[in-house]
Amino acid sequence: MRLLGIVITIITSEALHAQTPSDGLMMPSKNICVLLSYDMGTFDRYWEGSYLRSNETIATVDRNMVLPMAAIGILDNLNFYVSLPFISTESSEPNGGFFTGARGFQDIGFALKYRPIRTEWGPGQISFLGTAGFSTPFTNYLSDYRPYSIGAGAPEFSLRAIAQYELKNQLYFRASAAHLWRGYTEAERDYYYNDGSYYTAWMDVPNAWTYETILGKWLFDTSLKLELSYSSLTSTSGDDIRAYNAAQPTNKVEVDRLGFSAQYYFKSIKGLGVVAYHNRVIDGRNAPKMSNTGFGLTYQFNVIKKQTDEENTQ
């Protein structure tokens, strides 16, 4: 098996288009938005270094994710996020029964998003936001079990800068850049090769830069939001997958991805929304040529108002 698993987590976790740490929306103070989404990812080819190969041994690899997430409005310009995905992997040809998929809770994530500037500028409105995030493995899963591993198995700290410009006709453009600092993960072996021999079970997961540009439009009196996106990820170090060897967490990963999303807010059911999206990896290095489709439900409510209504009922 000469496949990669580390970037699959990045691809699916950044593919969501509800109220997230990477978008230009802010949850009002004392409001909470909960998201429950389901993501289906699949690939049958991958890049070994820069060479695109087919999954001749295990055919198509499937990766499904159920993600609960909550966005909490601490202040109008300060939001807190928490998420905990459950992931399962499998392949259509399980190597004669020698390899099976994996499943379990992956990494618990926390983030703070702050919007210091939102002001009128020319024919529209410009906003600047910043996000700080941290995630760490929630369970003791096998990070080196590629391509079935459910995650990188390492703690991660991220800082993201976001800029969005929205015209009065509700057409908007958003760009963001983030740096990911990653720690070490422990493998189930005491030797590995990473441009040299390492006699240890601890693998250094490379840091990375991510970039995203989005063109979006609100329609039907802000009931429907449509977005086209381009995103990329580039590791700052790492090695290539060696021929006839398995991938490992030390690999240098590069990914370019295109996506489309739609989110609809029901006017008749206050607070309820639905979201759907599709993404495709168009180029990469040491990465699966993956496509994923997802959908979910969102619900937003005011905590203070709900408590007041309950007291009035009593």
Side-chain angles (χ1 to χ4, degrees):
M1 298 193 310
R2 304 176 303 233
L3 301 170
L4 185 72
I6 183 174
V7 76
I8 304 177
T9 303
I10 301 166
I11 291 172
T12 53
S13 63
E14 292 195 351
L16 302 172
H17 295 274
Q19 218 282 51
T20 69
S22 61
D23 63 23
L25 299 175
M26 296 298 297
M27 187 63 50
S29 175
K30 302 179 182 62
N31 276 249
I32 297 177
C33 180
V34 292
L35 162 73
L36 181 63
S37 68
Y38 180 68
D39 184 282
M40 302 168 290
T42 182
F43 72 95
D44 58 11
R45 291 182 292 170
Y46 68 100
W47 283 276
E48 181 184 277
S50 59
Y51 180 70
L52 185 61
R53 288 187 178 274
S54 297
N55 298 357
E56 296 178 358
T57 305
I58 57 176
T60 301
V61 177
D62 296 316
R63 193 171 196 275
N64 300 318
M65 176 177 69
V66 176
L67 175 66
M69 184 177 69
I72 303 169
I74 301 174
L75 303 171
D76 287 343
N77 290 320
L78 180 65
N79 287 181
F80 175 74
Y81 302 83
V82 60
S83 61
L84 180 60
F86 182 90
I87 296 175
S88 64
T89 61
E90 62 181 359
S91 104
S92 56
E93 295 289 339
N95 292 273
F98 291 104
F99 295 98
T100 59
R103 62 175 55 209
F105 287 102
Q106 189 216 50
D107 301 345
I108 186 168
F110 306 95
L112 279 173
K113 182 167 67 175
Y114 178 61
R115 183 177 61 194
I117 298 174
R118 183 178 64 172
T119 185
E120 299 294 326
W121 190 49
Q125 188 177 73
I126 191 167
S127 301
F128 294 98
L129 307 93
T131 300
F134 176 76
S135 65
T136 189
F138 189 75
T139 58
N140 188 29
Y141 58 82
L142 302 179
S143 61
D144 194 32
Y145 182 42
R146 306 305 168 93
Y148 304 112
S149 174
I150 65 173
E156 178 184 288
F157 176 73
S158 64
L159 287 177
R160 182 184 301 271
I162 307 167
Q164 178 169 298
Y165 187 70
E166 183 173 346
L167 298 171
K168 296 188 185 302
N169 64 0
Q170 295 188 310
L171 179 71
Y172 61 87
F173 174 79
R174 183 168 71 251
S176 67
H179 188 69
L180 314 178
W181 289 270
R182 299 188 176 116
Y184 287 82
T185 183
E186 186 176 9
E188 291 292 304
R189 48 178 164 150
D190 55 11
Y191 169 82
Y192 65 93
Y193 186 88
N194 175 13
D195 294 331
S197 296
Y198 289 80
Y199 294 89
T200 176
W202 291 97
M203 295 182 173
D204 187 4
V205 182
N207 299 334
W209 284 95
T210 66
Y211 305 93
E212 185 178 45
T213 56
I214 287 178
L215 179 66
K217 182 72 167 72
W218 288 97
L219 299 168
F220 306 121
D221 192 25
T222 66
S223 293
L224 177 64
K225 181 178 68 172
L226 303 177
E227 290 188 346
L228 290 172
S229 65
Y230 164 78
S231 60
S232 67
L233 177 140
T234 302
S235 298
T236 59
S237 61
D239 59 339
D240 285 331
I241 301 174
R242 293 187 294 155
Y244 307 108
N245 280 266
Q248 60 188 32
T250 63
N251 293 144
K252 179 180 177 65
V253 174
E254 297 176 1
V255 171
D256 293 305
R257 184 190 66 190
L258 294 176
F260 172 77
S261 73
Q263 187 168 5
Y264 182 76
Y265 298 93
F266 293 94
K267 294 293 186 180
S268 57
I269 309 176
K270 187 175 181 180
L272 183 65
V274 294
V275 58
Y277 59 86
H278 179 75
N279 302 278
R280 287 183 178 269
V281 174
I282 57 174
D283 196 14
R285 185 180 189 90
N286 301 311
K289 189 174 175 59
M290 186 175 185
S291 63
N292 66 294
T293 300
F295 53 88
L297 292 173
T298 63
Y299 183 69
Q300 179 180 339
F301 58 93
N302 186 306
V303 180
I304 300 300
K305 184 178 184 301
K306 184 177 179 180
Q307 292 177 349
T308 303
D309 291 343
E310 291 176 351
E311 291 174 358
N312 291 337
T313 301
Q314 293 174 357

